[in-house]
């Protein structure tokens, strides 16, 4: 090896933060990359939500708490709040009790077909909530296989639908940690004479508590904001905060009462989100402290039969039965097996709709593509910015705050976002009441957190030494970004786009406020159809629900095919 001449420093490439001439344009570029999505969030999320909150405390521009106090002290309001919390609590408890055995069977036990079983269990979570509601209605409603049980518009039906939707959240969250538990501790307890049940209760379950608490907090959040399920299955008997906001706005035109209820809903969801973040951080710390170990084992009848039977009963009776019934009943009419319900999608179903059902399918696809492009473009900028690794503590703190800001739409109901659009984007300088871009913007806001959470693990998986090596070899910061970061990001675009498109296709909360009568999306069409009497309307709703479920499933299937191993679904 030839040593460099004395006094001559070895040649080095430019570092990522070197050179005043390079750093100033680079810093300006990062500021611009952060400013664009921040401006979008401020205009189309913060402004509508804050205006909505202010509307609940003001009358004619003056502070007036009378209307807010009247709503919040009314017995009906607290009955609705109690219904919201009780349904969410029951849905959470049932999801955890049924999901923990499923996590054990699908993540700890090894058996042929396990990967397929995991995929099937995950399907309900990506289905639109309107489809979930219609699927259960086809099972327990008039002429359904379980119609004799009298479960229509019952608490049992609603809780079952909530478990159907959230079961995979518990299975995947708890199962992911369970598979990493060191099996030697329960084995040691068994060797010392502990029974399998005692080893489970004293060793395994305490070790799983961070994951169980995290899953429970997430499920409670999703149950408390399950707008479509309550609208379809609750009827006039059960109202939650979200459905009451919709009722007060669209039926009674009482914006003051709706604003007050939106504030109550913001409080409930924000508390859920805080608990969720706390439990997620505890889960991450628990995982970080675990040694590399695998608790998986081959399926054993002696110890695994009971949880397998429980899991099988849930998968067949709770997950598969509603979907199979939905498909079967969409192919049945009073005259027998027929495609009449699907042919009705080309009509207005006896003038039940102002436009044919297929127009709703087309609108959903067009709006979904628009919302997906917008959400992915903004999510790409957010991901690039928050994935940086500043050397200064202040910079790292600023990026954490920025990351949290773009997660805020996850903690605010889509109903609140749609209602906020109605009362803010209806006058200059942003009068978008007649613009069709309003629905894609609202859906992009709802999908943005999922897009960021899908792409961020991909970028954070990049070894920092790759960037440093490129810089040492003379690559400029822009070239490092183009040749290292962007190729990795491209791998995560498929999953991010799939989440955004699936979210847009099934979005009902905000769209129910914003969709025009002549340009409805498919979830809005389905809800209008099931609200009309007659077999023809319900049959068309069943067929439309099958089409919507198939579209969503196809999108997520394509997303899973292109999903990188470093990115896991949010």
């Amino acid at each position: 090896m030839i040593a460099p001449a004395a006094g001559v420093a070895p040649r080095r490439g430019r570092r990522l933060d070197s050179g005043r001439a390079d750093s100033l344009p680079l810093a300006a570029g990062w500021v611009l990359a952060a400013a664009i999505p921040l401006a979008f969030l401020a205009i189309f999320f913060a402004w509508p939500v804050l205006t909505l909150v202010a509307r609940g405390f003001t009358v004619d521009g003056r502070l007036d708490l009378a209307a807010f106090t009247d709503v919040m002290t009314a017995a009906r309001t607290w009955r609705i709040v109690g219904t919201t919390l009780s349904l969410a609590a029951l849905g959470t408890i049932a999801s955890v009790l049924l999901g923990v055995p499923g996590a054990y069977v699908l993540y700890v036990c090894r058996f042929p077909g396990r990967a397929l079983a995991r995929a099937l269990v995950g399907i309900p979570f990506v289905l639109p909530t309107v489809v979930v509601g219609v699927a259960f209605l086809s099972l327990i409603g008039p002429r359904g296989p379980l119609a004799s049980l009298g479960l229509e518009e019952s608490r049992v039906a609603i809780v079952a639908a909530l478990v159907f939707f959230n079961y995979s959240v518990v299975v995947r969250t708890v199962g992911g940690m369970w598979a990493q538990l060191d099996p030697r501790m329960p084995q040691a307890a068994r060797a010392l004479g502990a029974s399998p049940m005692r080893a489970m209760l004293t060793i395994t379950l305490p070790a799983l508590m961070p994951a169980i608490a995290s899953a429970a907090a997430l499920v409670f959040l999703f149950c408390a904001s399950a707008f479509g399920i309550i609208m379809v299955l609750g009827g006039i008997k059960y109202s939650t905060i979200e459905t009451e906001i919709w009722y007060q706005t669209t039926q009674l035109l009482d914006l003051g009462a709706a604003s007050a209820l939106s504030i109550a809903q913001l409080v409930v969801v924000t508390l859920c989100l805080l608990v969720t973040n706390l439990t997620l951080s505890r889960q991450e710390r628990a995982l970080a402290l675990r040694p590399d170990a695998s608790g998986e084992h081959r399926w054993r009848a002696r110890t695994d039969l009971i949880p397998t039977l429980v899991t099988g009963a849930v998968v067949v009776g709770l997950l598969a039965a509603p979907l199979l019934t939905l498909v079967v009943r969409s192919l049945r009419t009073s005259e027998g097996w027929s495609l009449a319900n699907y042919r009705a999608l080309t009509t207005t179903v006896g003038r039940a709709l102002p436009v044919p059902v297929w127009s709703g399918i087309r609108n959903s696809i067009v709006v979904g593509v628009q919302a997906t492009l917008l959400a992915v473009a903004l999510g790409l900028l957010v991901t690039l910015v928050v994935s940086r690794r500043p050397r200064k503590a202040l910079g790292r703190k600023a990026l954490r705050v920025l990351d949290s800001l773009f997660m805020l739409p996850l903690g605010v109901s889509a109903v609140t976002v749609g209602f906020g659009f109605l009362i803010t984007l209806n006058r200059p300088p942003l009068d978008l009441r007649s613009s069709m871009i309003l629905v894609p913007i609202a859906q992009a806001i709802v999908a943005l957190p999922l897009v960021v959470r899908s792409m961020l693990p991909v970028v954070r998986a990049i070894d920092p030494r790759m960037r440093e090596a490129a810089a040492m070899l003379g690559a400029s910061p822009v070239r490092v970004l183009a040749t290292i970061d962007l190729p990795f990001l491209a791998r995560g675009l498929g999953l991010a786009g799939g989440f955004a498109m699936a979210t847009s296709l099934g979005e009902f909360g905000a769209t129910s406020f914003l969709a025009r009568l002549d340009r409805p999306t498919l979830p809005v069409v389905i809800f209008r159809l099931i609200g009309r009497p007659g077999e023809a309307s319900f049959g068309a709703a069943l067929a439309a629900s099958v089409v919507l479920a198939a579209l969503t499933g196809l999108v997520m299937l394509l997303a899973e095919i292109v999903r990188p191993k470093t990115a896991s679904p949010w």
Side-chain angles (χ1 to χ4, degrees):
M1 178 177 179
I2 301 176
V8 178
R11 183 178 182 273
R12 294 178 180 268
R14 290 172 293 182
R15 296 181 61 84
L16 288 175
D17 57 350
S18 67
R20 189 178 183 83
D22 287 341
S23 61
L24 289 179
L26 182 63
W30 287 121
V31 170
L32 181 63
I36 293 174
L38 272 176
F40 182 86
L41 192 72
I43 295 171
F44 296 111
F45 176 73
W47 181 29
V49 171
L50 292 177
T51 302
L52 178 61
V53 173
R55 177 70 68 92
F57 293 106
T58 58
V59 176
D60 297 327
R62 299 192 307 271
L63 181 65
D64 187 346
L65 300 180
F68 178 80
T69 303
D70 290 342
V71 174
M72 296 309 297
T73 55
R76 175 179 172 84
T77 299
W78 287 105
R79 184 171 66 252
I80 290 170
V81 171
T83 300
T84 303
L85 297 179
S86 64
L87 288 175
L90 290 172
T92 302
I93 293 170
S95 297
V96 171
L97 290 178
L98 296 175
V100 170
Y104 173 78
V105 172
L106 296 176
Y107 281 83
V108 179
C109 302
R110 291 194 301 268
F111 55 90
R114 185 176 68 165
L116 177 61
R118 287 183 185 178
L120 292 176
V121 165
I123 289 175
F125 184 68
V126 301
L127 290 178
T129 55
V130 171
V131 172
V132 175
V134 173
F136 273 83
L137 197 60
S138 70
L139 185 66
I140 63 174
R143 299 182 61 185
L146 302 182
S148 60
L149 298 180
L151 296 176
E152 191 175 5
E153 294 188 13
S154 68
R155 188 182 295 266
V156 173
I158 295 173
V159 172
L162 294 174
V163 176
F164 172 93
F165 190 73
N166 293 292
Y167 177 75
S168 65
V169 176
V170 178
V171 170
R172 300 185 77 158
T173 304
V174 177
M177 176 175 277
W178 205 332
Q180 298 182 52
L181 290 182
D182 189 342
R184 291 172 295 184
M185 292 185 65
Q187 289 171 0
R190 295 285 306 280
L192 292 173
S195 65
M197 181 59 68
R198 185 174 182 183
M200 170 70 71
L201 295 177
T202 59
I203 296 177
T204 305
L205 279 183
L208 290 173
M209 282 311 297
I212 294 174
S214 176
L218 280 172
V219 170
F220 190 92
L221 176 62
F222 293 142
C223 290
S225 55
F227 179 67
I229 291 174
I230 307 300
M231 288 290 286
V232 175
L233 296 177
I236 61 174
K237 193 173 180 181
Y238 290 95
S239 294
T240 60
I241 298 175
E242 286 202 329
T243 60
E244 184 67 11
I245 293 171
W246 179 88
Y247 178 73
Q248 293 287 342
T249 304
T250 61
Q251 306 300 311
L252 302 183
L253 301 179
D254 190 344
L255 300 185
S259 298
L261 288 167
S262 296
I263 295 171
Q265 199 240 8
L266 281 172
V267 172
V268 171
V269 176
T270 300
L271 289 175
C272 292
L273 197 60
L274 289 174
V275 174
T276 300
N277 289 336
L278 177 63
T279 55
L280 283 173
S281 62
R282 287 183 176 179
Q283 182 187 4
E284 290 173 356
R285 288 196 299 269
L287 285 172
L289 292 174
R290 296 190 186 284
D292 291 333
S294 174
E296 296 185 12
H297 61 256
R298 289 186 177 275
W299 188 88
R300 301 185 295 256
R302 184 171 58 87
T303 57
D304 304 336
L305 180 59
I306 292 178
T308 301
L309 292 176
V310 172
T311 303
V314 172
V315 171
V316 174
L318 187 61
L319 304 187
L323 295 179
L324 291 176
T325 305
L326 175 66
V327 175
V328 170
R329 291 200 61 186
S330 72
L331 295 170
R332 293 280 295 179
T333 65
S334 58
E335 299 177 357
W337 296 100
S338 172
L339 294 175
N341 291 329
Y342 289 90
R343 287 195 292 267
L345 301 183
T346 62
T347 71
T348 58
V349 195
R351 297 185 180 180
L353 301 169
V355 294
V357 178
W358 73 265
S359 296
I361 300 174
R362 180 196 60 195
N363 294 335
S364 287
I365 295 174
V366 172
V367 169
V369 171
Q370 294 170 341
T372 297
L373 292 175
L374 185 56
V376 170
L378 294 170
L380 185 63
L381 293 176
V382 175
T383 302
L384 286 173
V385 173
V386 302
S387 63
R388 300 302 95 190
R389 294 182 173 91
R391 295 184 178 181
K392 295 183 179 179
L394 182 61
R396 294 193 295 271
K397 184 176 181 180
L399 290 185
R400 285 196 296 270
V401 171
L402 189 66
D403 186 17
S404 299
L405 286 176
F406 286 101
M407 292 301 105
L408 286 177
L410 191 65
V412 177
S413 167
V415 170
T416 301
V417 174
F419 183 27
F421 274 31
L422 283 183
I423 64 175
T424 53
L425 304 178
N426 60 349
R427 56 186 180 275
L430 276 178
D431 187 355
L432 300 177
R433 286 173 298 181
S434 60
S435 174
M436 288 305 300
I437 196 63
L438 202 59
V439 175
I441 289 175
Q443 294 183 354
I445 284 288
V446 175
L448 184 57
L450 297 178
V451 171
V452 174
R453 278 291 164 262
S454 299
M455 292 194 292
L456 200 55
V458 180
V459 184
R460 286 180 172 169
I462 300 174
D463 191 336
R465 293 173 294 183
M466 294 177 64
R467 298 190 185 101
E468 294 171 1
M472 293 294 290
L473 292 172
S476 66
V478 175
R479 187 173 181 184
V480 170
L481 183 66
T483 57
I484 296 179
D485 289 59
L486 291 183
F488 272 85
L489 263 177
R491 303 178 188 177
L493 287 178
L495 182 64
F499 268 120
M501 187 69 182
T503 300
S504 175
L505 286 173
E507 207 290 311
F508 180 55
T511 310
S512 64
F513 283 89
L514 305 174
R516 288 164 32 179
L517 288 175
D518 60 335
R519 297 294 295 273
T521 60
L522 194 51
V524 174
V525 168
I526 293 171
F527 181 70
R528 290 175 183 172
L529 286 173
I530 62 175
R532 304 272 303 187
E535 182 184 349
S537 295
F538 188 68
L542 294 174
S545 297
V546 173
V547 172
L548 182 55
L551 284 174
T552 307
L554 178 61
V555 167
M556 290 308 301
L557 176 62
L558 295 175
E560 283 293 325
I561 290 174
V562 300
R563 178 175 67 90
K565 294 181 179 179
T566 51
S568 57
W570 183 84

